Amino acid sequence: MPDTKQIFIHQQKHFMKKFILPALSLIAAIILLSITGCKPKNASNAAEGDAASRVYVPPGKYDELYNFVSGGFSGQVTVYGIPSGRLLRVIPVFSLDPQDGWGYSEETKPMLNTSHGMVPWDDQHHLELSQTNGEIDGRWLFANGNNTPRIARLDLKTFRTAEILEIPNSAGNHSSPFITENTEYVVAGTRFSVPMDDKNGDVPIDTYKKNFKGTVSFISVDPKSGNMKLAFQLLLPGVDFDLSHGGKGPSHDWFFFSCYNSEQAHTLLEVNASQRDKDFIMAVNWKKAEEYYKQGKGRKQTVRYAHNVYDESTHSATSTIETQTTVLDVKDFPDMVYFIPCPKSPHGCDVDPTGEYIVGSGKLAALIPVFSFSKIIAAIASKNFDGDYDGIPVIKYEAALYGEVKKPGLGPLHTEFDGKGNAYTTMFISSEIVKWSLKDLKVLDRHPSYYSPGHLMIPGGDTRKPYGKYLISYNKITKDRYLPTGPELAQATQLFDISGDKMKLLSDYPSIGEPHYGQAVPAELIAKNSVKIYKIEDNKNPYVTMGEGKSKVVRTGNRVDVYMTMIRSHFSPDNIEGVKVGDDVYFHLTNLEQDWDVPHGFAVRNANTAELLVMPGETQTLKWTPDVSGMYPFYCTDFCSALHQEMQGYIRVSPKGSNVPISFSLGKNSDAPGEAALDDSIKTK
Ligand code: K7E
Ligand code: CUA
């Protein structure tokens, strides 16, 4: 058997012959640079001047901003304070959370349901805060799941995932969850083109050009409740959609997507999808598409996708499988979608606060093209096209171009704006942030970033009204930045001050998962709405226990429902007997506290799931099937009072077929072992 190295060398020779040398050497250089990173000088001593005092938030003081950061392959969202960098919260989104039982409790399990069953993980790249008139309104945070295409909506009153919608006809939901200016729609563009869900996907891969299609989906958002609904999908040529941003102001009706692999390659994309000099920015007139959709146009397609909603009154989620989508084939609607050539495998696709400039960042380009919305509209009006791509008109590059930022650095990825006429772009290969002027496209400043920044984020930097002041760079490689922690090193977050002409590095700290994008917002916009407790009288959970006196244990066949309450510092009941091996025991825990920051936890010995952490006024359910008879203590896991350690109890599990009756009690000590002790307030049915 030839070894793989041999094969590799052989392949290398083959490619040498096949592909033009300049392209190859460029790619080789990029691979080399991207592997080693490009270490800027003076990396170890780079913080400037009064940096320490700028990020110092004294004990007892709040941070100025919330920063919501995507967790990448952790599937979570993390929340940090800016400028301190203090970690405030980790929110499970496309993930299980053993800390609070998210995804383990009966109430939350449906949140992770998909048309393929429970998928408790995803790759979470982008976040977008809801907007009104192009400004952050502090209501919701949208998050994409890449792998099993999904979009989540987080409620910023509770910092919880409120809704997850699966996206059909998609594979790799990457250019998502970007939104329109009034959160009319959240978009989801597929990264991988694939055969549509209702077509036979069992086809040879080399029939890519014939059978593989791209889609972008528009998900409408209810302006009151925030509830998402798959509105319409656009059927597109089989390329890879990467990133997107909605228009603003004059470009309000438009959405812009970057795409690569216009070569339509299906193998070795690093070479085969880097052949053409230009790929595309796709401009979508979503208002037009909406119009067609509302007229009933498009093909109704039968598909399957899950729609999961968490109800704050029942403290439970439901999952519904939806079966219909409307697909508009863009070939049938010629005035809806246009392609604009964009140099060399564009990644970021960013719209400036005025809505006039669209910045495409070609990863392999040595310049940054900036397109003009008014020129795009003029070019469409005068049909200034360069033919078409798979039936979609291609606007002439020069006709759409406002200008090019020359020699910005190597590997431009993402751009954000400070609202003062400046743009900031990350340079992955040359490891730097480059500030340039939208007016004359001149580079104004550059600052090293350690190392290989992906996205950057300016608070409000993709809205009509950037807050400015800070910039955060999310870096991929942290070799030598922190104490070694084995083979895996944390990704880095670097905070810059951008209030002056020159960027100043303030701080540098590790982050959780792999942060891609983030969204930050002045703290008061969120803090003032934060829920402190759930009112117990509003608790509509079917298994709620409204007061200690109502706690009980009920057997129905081999199912046992334990209606249990928690209050400092005991459970009611705390002695239970009559449970048998093989019973399905449901502990329905209601936290009776009505005080901020007093959750109680629940854990029972040997339960093969997570603990529960129940918020004040809330009910959560843990299912347990004891497999061995014996004595099973349970206890509170959250240090809730001086007598927290006393917050505990026992469940006796008898063998299958035993005739120990169900009994339960609280506060009655008995000297007679094995005798069920009942107090006056709680009686067996
Ligand atoms: Cu550039 Cu997934 Cu937005 Cu990461 S993507 S960096
Ligand atoms: Cu309740 Cu500790």
Side-chain angles (χ1 to χ4, degrees):
M1 231 174 88
D3 72 11
T4 45
K5 200 171 163 189
Q6 286 280 312
I7 294 169
F8 185 69
I9 290 166
H10 173 78
Q11 286 173 340
Q12 291 262 308
K13 280 184 191 153
H14 178 69
F15 285 128
M16 282 293 235
K17 274 182 228 154
K18 192 161 176 192
F19 299 110
I20 43 170
L21 235 106
L24 188 64
S25 57
L26 172 70
I27 289 154
I30 283 160
I31 290 167
L32 185 73
L33 283 162
S34 57
I35 287 167
T36 58
C38 207
K39 187 170 173 175
K41 283 191 189 109
N42 304 323
S44 58
N45 186 23
E48 283 123 278
D50 59 349
S53 64
R54 295 290 314 279
V55 300
Y56 182 68
V57 177
K61 290 276 182 271
Y62 286 155
D63 271 292
E64 188 181 342
L65 300 123
Y66 283 98
N67 187 22
F68 299 92
V69 183
S70 80
F73 43 63
S74 84
Q76 303 158 330
V77 167
T78 47
V79 190
Y80 296 86
I82 296 181
S84 73
R86 296 189 291 206
L87 176 64
L88 302 174
R89 187 116 216 105
V90 178
I91 307 174
V93 184
F94 305 106
S95 60
L96 300 165
D97 192 0
Q99 170 174 318
D100 58 10
W102 185 266
Y104 293 99
S105 74
E106 294 306 300
E107 283 81 358
T108 55
K109 274 181 189 168
M111 289 304 284
L112 295 163
N113 191 40
T114 72
S115 62
H116 306 277
M118 191 192 212
V119 181
W121 170 86
D122 220 303
D123 188 12
Q124 201 286 295
H125 281 221
H126 305 122
L127 297 171
E128 189 88 319
L129 286 160
S130 58
Q131 297 177 17
T132 304
N133 295 323
E135 291 179 40
I136 294 168
D137 60 24
R139 300 202 287 168
W140 309 303
L141 178 71
F142 296 94
N144 75 320
N146 256 324
N147 189 50
T148 300
R150 285 175 280 183
I151 292 178
R153 179 175 56 88
L154 281 67
D155 188 335
L156 296 180
K157 291 208 279 291
T158 58
F159 280 57
R160 274 186 177 167
T161 305
E163 191 177 8
I164 291 181
L165 181 70
E166 192 182 354
I167 313 295
N169 288 331
S170 176
N173 179 35
H174 195 258
S175 46
S176 178
F178 299 97
I179 59 171
T180 55
E181 274 189 297
N182 291 299
T183 321
E184 295 99 332
Y185 291 100
V186 181
V187 305
T190 192
R191 170 178 168 188
F192 302 98
S193 280
V194 285
M196 292 298 92
D197 285 4
D198 65 343
K199 295 274 190 306
N200 178 17
D202 178 20
V203 294
I205 298 170
D206 65 9
T207 62
Y208 185 106
K209 285 184 181 156
K210 182 169 159 238
N211 291 319
F212 291 42
K213 293 284 172 201
T215 58
V216 301
S217 309
F218 284 76
I219 290 105
S220 62
V221 179
D222 185 281
K224 278 232 165 65
S225 64
N227 277 346
M228 299 187 286
K229 184 177 171 287
L230 178 59
F232 52 89
Q233 302 190 286
L234 307 183
L235 187 71
L236 295 154
V239 298
D240 290 52
F241 293 95
D242 208 7
L243 277 146
S244 61
H245 262 103
K248 303 177 177 79
S251 56
H252 172 84
D253 296 356
W254 292 76
F255 225 102
F256 304 93
F257 293 81
S258 58
C259 56
Y260 62 100
N261 193 22
S262 53
E263 295 85 351
Q264 302 194 312
H266 54 80
T267 181
L268 200 76
L269 264 66
E270 69 171 319
V271 175
N272 293 333
S274 306
Q275 297 301 302
R276 286 170 59 116
D277 183 46
K278 292 191 177 66
D279 291 283
F280 300 118
I281 298 283
M282 178 175 77
V284 175
N285 186 334
W286 62 263
K287 272 277 179 192
K288 267 266 153 60
E290 181 187 59
E291 221 175 277
Y292 293 132
Y293 168 63
K294 285 185 173 160
Q295 288 164 8
K297 302 230 167 89
R299 181 171 78 94
K300 297 267 180 288
Q301 188 189 330
T302 303
V303 285
R304 278 170 55 78
Y305 57 103
H307 185 197
N308 311 331
V309 181
Y310 191 80
D311 181 333
E312 283 296 347
S313 68
T314 58
H315 307 290
S316 346
T318 47
S319 177
T320 312
I321 297 292
E322 309 273 358
T323 56
Q324 214 185 50
T325 180
T326 302
V327 181
L328 298 163
D329 187 337
V330 293
K331 281 190 204 132
D332 304 336
F333 304 96
D335 50 353
M336 195 168 69
V337 176
Y338 301 89
F339 278 144
I340 303 155
C342 185
K344 295 253 157 231
S345 306
H347 185 56
C349 178
D350 300 288
V351 182
D352 91 303
T354 68
E356 167 64 9
Y357 303 113
I358 298 111
V359 181
S361 297
K363 302 182 290 273
L364 307 182
L367 52 84
I368 304 172
V370 181
F371 300 99
S372 149
F373 178 70
S374 42
K375 286 185 78 176
I376 291 169
I377 292 303
I380 291 170
S382 61
K383 294 204 163 27
N384 203 350
F385 300 144
D386 215 351
D388 70 296
Y389 181 88
D390 215 352
I392 298 171
V394 178
I395 297 171
K396 279 203 179 115
Y397 179 66
E398 291 73 22
L401 190 71
Y402 168 67
E404 293 167 341
V405 184
K406 306 279 190 206
K407 297 201 176 150
L410 290 174
L413 285 191
H414 297 282
T415 300
E416 293 242 310
F417 309 90
D418 65 2
K420 295 189 263 177
N422 304 307
Y424 297 75
T425 304
T426 43
M427 298 293 159
F428 181 82
I429 297 169
S430 53
S431 278
E432 56 187 333
I433 313 283
V434 173
K435 175 183 179 180
W436 50 275
S437 160
L438 279 161
K439 203 162 118 222
D440 56 17
L441 307 182
K442 290 269 179 334
V443 171
L444 302 171
D445 188 24
R446 51 180 73 239
H447 197 298
S449 181
Y450 314 97
Y451 309 95
S452 302
H455 279 267
L456 50 67
M457 186 277 304
I458 292 171
D462 70 339
T463 72
R464 271 177 98 164
K465 256 216 184 135
Y467 179 78
K469 194 166 172 182
Y470 299 108
L471 179 154
I472 290 182
S473 165
Y474 297 105
N475 304 326
K476 302 297 184 190
I477 294 166
T478 53
K479 255 179 220 159
D480 82 17
R481 299 302 293 169
Y482 310 123
L483 285 172
T485 52
E488 197 202 358
L489 299 170
Q491 266 83 0
T493 301
Q494 287 188 307
L495 181 72
F496 291 85
D497 172 7
I498 55 162
S499 57
D501 287 344
K502 299 281 169 196
M503 290 175 268
K504 271 193 201 170
L505 177 59
L506 297 179
S507 67
D508 173 327
Y509 49 92
S511 43
I512 291 176
E514 184 193 353
H516 288 256
Y517 197 34
Q519 291 266 283
V521 58
E524 66 271 11
L525 205 58
I526 308 282
K528 63 174 191 229
N529 298 324
S530 203
V531 165
K532 295 192 166 70
I533 59 157
Y534 298 98
K535 280 196 195 134
I536 186 74
E537 62 267 30
D538 295 344
N539 185 326
K540 299 271 175 343
N541 187 297
Y543 299 102
V544 65
T545 307
M546 287 284 192
E548 211 165 83
K550 297 218 168 68
S551 55
K552 61 184 175 185
V553 180
V554 181
R555 171 181 289 284
T556 319
N558 73 338
R559 174 182 170 128
V560 177
D561 287 284
V562 179
Y563 296 80
M564 192 182 272
T565 61
M566 327 158 96
I567 198 159
R568 279 164 288 181
S569 293
H570 60 270
F571 295 96
S572 175
D574 68 357
N575 280 205
I576 298 170
E577 301 197 0
V579 169
K580 289 179 249 179
V581 167
D583 281 346
D584 287 330
V585 184
Y586 291 85
F587 295 99
H588 309 291
L589 285 130
T590 300
N591 181 350
L592 297 175
E593 304 281 355
Q594 291 288 273
D595 209 353
W596 192 20
D597 200 21
V598 193
H600 291 288
F602 177 81
V604 60
R605 180 186 168 196
N606 295 359
N608 45 14
T609 178
E611 61 142 356
L612 292 180
L613 196 64
V614 189
M615 298 304 128
E618 192 184 42
T619 302
Q620 289 289 295
T621 300
L622 182 142
K623 186 188 172 197
W624 177 56
T625 308
D627 60 344
V628 180
S629 69
M631 193 53 66
Y632 290 84
F634 57 89
Y635 73 101
C636 172
T637 51
D638 187 290
F639 211 110
C640 49
S641 78
L643 294 174
H644 153 78
Q645 204 70 353
E646 279 73 11
M647 193 166 171
Q648 64 178 53
Y650 288 102
I651 301 173
R652 172 186 168 189
V653 174
S654 305
K656 248 189 184 123
S658 127
N659 52 14
V660 177
I662 288 284
S663 69
F664 52 93
S665 68
L666 167 72
K668 188 159 182 187
N669 263 326
S670 168
D671 294 332
E675 199 179 286
L678 295 176
D679 77 351
D680 296 334
S681 62
I682 316 163
K683 293 243 158 46
T684 321
K685 266 193 170 169

